[in-house]
Amino acid sequence: MTAPIRPGRSWLLRLVIAFAFAQGAVSMARPAVSYRALALGADERAIGVITGVYALLPLFAAVPLGRRTDHGRCAPLLPVGVVLIAGGCALSGRAGSLTAMAAWSGVMGLGHLSFVIGAQSIVARQSAPAEQDRNFGHFTIGASLGQLIGPIAAGYLISERDGAMGRTSALALTVAAAVAAVSLASLRRIEHRRAPARRGEAPGAKVPVGSILRTRGVPAGIFISLAVLSATDILTAYLPVVGEHRGIAPATVGMLLSLRAAATIACRLVMTPMLRLMGRAALLASTCLLAGALCAGIALPVPLWALAAMLAVLGFCLGAGQPLSMTTVVQAAPAAARSTALALRLTGNRLGQVATPAAAGLVAGVAGTAAPFVMLGALLVAAAGLGARGDGGRARRRDRAPDPDPAVPEDGPTRAGLNRNPA
């Protein structure tokens, strides 16, 4: 067998840059879609439906894309995702009905899913086990950078003066399409050559989905990821609605969303020392529990400065869940089905993005626009309970056996290196 090439880290930097632009486009488009829908006469329930459709197509496409990636290259999914994101943004800006907006929002969601499956699979494939917490943390900084810049740009472009919300939200969606296209410049040669398959290995073998879902650590990782992403998604989609009801200008709402994203970046920059201090299970449980309390607190009619402080701490707490759930799922799943396991994690995310906004829209229509945040608080508290059980930590014991994935370098870190990040 030919020894695999251990790649440098320039690929990770370029992947972070590409993800920042792609996520920036999506984060700019999501509040713009909400504002444009409001300009077209949508109420809270319609906003929930449109937000849910964003995740509907990805809900059915995730596992097939993961299967394809397990037995092939990851990189082709990235430009396909960028094209779909850009197209969904541009066509949402031209849509003249709520039905058309929902449809193009679904296309945007499918593009985002394609990009993320390809990118996460590259990180899993080109990172040694002891590097995965760090590399996934750095990878998700790209998402946080996009979430930081996107809402500010949307808030700057969108104006509600003199009935201009429809026109300015359409402009924001067009600009978002251009931002997505910029990410193509960083995608050249981002995936390194894999070693040939081992003799006797069946390249087309598929691990059953049920077997993956029964693997210890995978369900917990999926649920924690669902809860954290649902919180981020509802914040992005419903904070503009809360702002409308409380008299907060779109530009200020954009600044609040970006403050949350900046705090998430700060969390991911210090994740390695936090893991050394607390371990994965304790870090997941504590951050999810505090995030749940803060989400519920947003329902209170607090002053703007207090809302900003709550969102900053909430953003820091939400920063841990996504990268740590990625590592949990990757290290728990069979080596031949890691991309499928990541796709199942994304399927759980998208299921949450379908069900949670729809439920949020129903709750908001009955109990007011702040009520969905109470629902999110309960979801995050449940995720904290799973994190406290330490299911993800058990997955690390799988690393004691030799890794059969030929993409993982055989000259990887020692066992002592693995133990520096206790879970």
Side-chain angles (χ1 to χ4, degrees):
M1 171 184 157
T2 303
I5 296 174
R6 185 182 182 91
R9 297 194 65 203
S10 64
W11 64 270
L12 182 59
L13 176 60
R14 288 185 285 118
L15 189 60
V16 169
I17 292 170
F19 196 19
F21 279 103
Q23 185 64 55
V26 171
S27 298
M28 186 177 181
R30 301 301 299 283
V33 164
S34 294
Y35 282 120
R36 181 156 176 79
L38 289 170
L40 293 175
D43 57 12
E44 289 86 352
R45 297 182 185 182
I47 295 290
V49 171
I50 292 172
T51 304
V53 171
Y54 170 84
L56 190 59
L57 285 176
L59 186 62
F60 299 103
V63 172
L65 288 175
R67 291 286 197 199
R68 177 207 170 280
T69 306
D70 271 323
H71 302 288
R73 297 181 61 223
C74 310
L77 287 179
L78 304 184
V80 169
V82 170
V83 169
L84 291 175
I85 290 170
C89 290
L91 292 168
S92 293
R94 296 178 60 87
S97 69
L98 297 178
T99 301
M101 288 204 67
W104 295 124
S105 180
V107 170
M108 189 195 316
L110 182 60
H112 188 256
L113 174 88
S114 299
F115 187 98
V116 171
I117 285 181
Q120 288 183 6
S121 298
I122 288 174
V123 175
R125 188 173 289 178
Q126 297 184 175
S127 302
E131 297 174 339
Q132 286 174 348
D133 277 326
R134 181 197 65 194
N135 286 359
F136 276 123
H138 290 172
F139 166 71
T140 52
I141 287 175
S144 298
L145 286 171
Q147 292 166 355
L148 172 66
I149 298 169
I152 291 178
Y156 178 78
L157 290 172
I158 299 170
S159 173
E160 55 186 342
R161 294 179 181 175
D162 303 322
M165 186 181 291
R167 176 177 55 81
T168 55
S169 59
L171 174 63
L173 287 164
T174 302
V175 173
V179 171
V182 174
S183 65
L184 293 171
S186 297
L187 297 180
R188 178 177 168 81
R189 299 178 66 181
I190 206 162
E191 184 177 17
H192 290 75
R193 178 176 67 83
R194 299 184 71 188
R198 296 177 189 270
R199 185 173 298 173
E201 185 177 336
K206 294 182 179 180
V207 181
V209 169
S211 177
I212 299 171
L213 290 174
R214 287 191 297 271
T215 302
R216 189 185 300 275
V218 171
I222 290 174
F223 185 83
I224 291 168
S225 179
L226 180 155
V228 171
L229 184 67
S230 294
T232 304
D233 209 52
I234 294 299
L235 278 172
T236 303
Y238 268 84
L239 202 60
V241 181
V242 171
E244 281 288 294
H245 282 261
R246 298 186 185 178
I248 304 173
T252 305
V253 170
M255 291 294 295
L256 290 172
L257 289 172
S258 295
L259 176 64
R260 194 277 312 162
T264 296
I265 294 173
C267 173
R268 288 166 181 171
L269 287 172
V270 298
M271 186 172 297
T272 299
M274 287 195 300
L275 279 167
R276 289 173 181 161
L277 178 66
M278 302 177 64
R280 186 182 300 144
L283 184 58
L284 278 172
S286 59
T287 54
C288 286
L289 185 62
L290 182 54
L294 290 167
C295 265
I298 294 175
L300 302 174
V302 297
L304 183 59
W305 66 267
L307 180 62
M310 291 168 62
L311 286 170
V313 180
L314 176 60
F316 189 90
C317 293
L318 293 176
Q322 289 295 330
L324 295 185
S325 69
M326 290 177 200
T327 307
T328 296
V329 169
V330 165
Q331 294 188 353
R338 286 174 175 167
S339 292
T340 303
L342 286 169
L344 287 169
R345 174 186 166 278
L346 290 170
T347 300
N349 287 351
R350 295 309 188 258
L351 180 61
Q353 287 181 300
V354 171
T356 307
L362 181 62
V363 170
V366 173
T369 56
F373 297 103
V374 177
M375 180 185 70
L376 285 177
L379 193 65
L380 286 165
V381 169
L386 282 177
R389 289 174 55 191
D391 286 344
R394 298 188 184 100
R396 191 173 290 274
R397 290 201 293 267
R398 300 175 65 92
D399 295 328
R400 292 175 182 166
D403 193 336
D405 189 344
V408 177
E410 294 177 345
D411 59 341
T414 63
R415 175 58 43 191
L418 289 179
N419 289 338
R420 281 198 299 269
N421 265 352

